[in-house]
Amino acid sequence: DSHTPVYDRARHGGVPERFLRGCKGDHAEAGRRWAGTWEWRRAEGVDALLHVPQTRFQHFKAIYPHFIHGRARNGCYVWYERPGLADLEALVGGDASKEKAEAMLWHYVFHTEWVWSVLEPREEAKLISVFDCTGASAANLAGEKLAIVRTIMKVIAAHYPERCEKLFIVNAPFWFSAAWRLLSPMIDANTRKKISIASSYSTAQELCGYIGSENVPVDFGGTSTTPLGQSDEEAAILDFVQQRLEAGTAATCSDPAAAATTEAAPLPTPEPSPASFPSPSPPPPRDRPPAPEVGCLPLLGTATADGSSLLDTWLPRHAVTIPDLMERVEELTFQIDAVEPEKR
């Protein structure tokens, strides 16, 4: 790919340990990925993003519920996301849908930067994510709406590797759980052990067993009475955002010409760069054949002309990230959901 940056130590510096771990010690691949992230951060002004006033921060929080809610027993912060309860209609349709989707992506990057620069700046720190499927269906999380979620996941996975300690997909409907049962034995063991799928009946047991019931919100079967969105971490990020909004307003009132260059209180290790945000480019999709039909699943292990199996081509063991997996599960769910009940 002519657009893939070539790693140059003199330009890009040393490769962070997280990238090496994510590439299983493959220095060449880790260097390529780090060069891509370094160039992305420079081109998009990511190092200065936390200084930019977020005028729609609470708006995006409201239409797409996502929160940090304390720590688990192992010390990792816990992130909750509820796409099935999101008002993604507010982001799609109309002439400005592309701009709104891009703004949502940059909101998510801002949130991620705050977590790893302010809340938990340790290089080795990781996050536990809880992806709540309540209200989600193959119909209401599709098309442009699904594309927004998938793009966000791919950008985060590409530029923030080895930050996921554990991913819980909870309150999972039949169609998702069925697809997972088909695919999970066939994926890389390191990816598989990070993911747990729980139905509405087992969600509380899964979360409380790993995170600790005292840290899990009542909504998910725990005993933490602090409502989602009202944790100390959420108060801290809202205060952070408000301070920068006030700093930007003060700068505008006193000297509009200087407002664009005004910075708020210094961050741990900011590296200022131009804060212009053109549309980020998600990683290019891998070429692969269409998802096999449900009726053809027994043939997934059949050898192809080059000696590999259809499964190896469609779901390569060495290259599956969590966003890739979610995409492949989604491809199967539409077919599984359409199977007549007596055939399930």
Side-chain angles (χ1 to χ4, degrees), residues 284-297:
R286 294 185 180 92
D287 292 331
R288 66 177 187 278
E293 295 180 4
V294 171
C296 297
L297 287 174

Side-chain angles (χ1 to χ4, degrees), residues 10-89:
R11 175 178 175 81
H12 301 119
V15 177
E17 181 64 29
R18 287 186 296 105
F19 283 76
L20 287 168
R21 290 199 306 271
C23 296
K24 299 181 180 179
D26 185 333
H27 286 259
E29 177 63 13
R32 183 192 68 79
R33 288 194 61 186
W34 168 240
T37 291
W38 193 96
E39 298 292 350
W40 170 75
R41 295 184 68 88
R42 184 185 183 198
E44 308 294 358
V46 178
D47 291 320
L49 182 58
L50 289 180
H51 293 303
V52 177
Q54 302 295 304
T55 57
R56 291 190 282 179
F57 183 83
Q58 296 201 59
H59 168 71
F60 287 126
K61 279 281 192 179
I63 66 174
Y64 189 88
H66 53 286
F67 316 98
I68 303 171
H69 191 89
R71 295 180 186 261
R73 286 174 177 167
N74 66 2
C76 292
Y77 281 103
V78 186
W79 171 274
Y80 289 83
E81 195 162 326
R82 313 188 83 175
L85 303 181
D87 180 17
L88 291 178
E89 295 291 347

Side-chain angles (χ1 to χ4, degrees), residues 9 54 81 100 183 203 245 261 265 270 296 306 326 338 343:
R9 185 178 180 85
Q54 302 295 304
E81 195 162 326
K100 288 186 289 187
L183 297 180
T203 288
L245 285 173
T261 60
C296 297
D306 64 358
M326 297 291 287
K343 294 183 180 179

Side-chain angles (χ1 to χ4, degrees), residues 12 48 85 141 156 195 230 271 319 323 327 329:
H12 301 119
L85 303 181
L141 192 62
I156 299 303
I195 304 173
Q230 296 182 30
E271 185 178 324
E327 182 175 349
V329 169

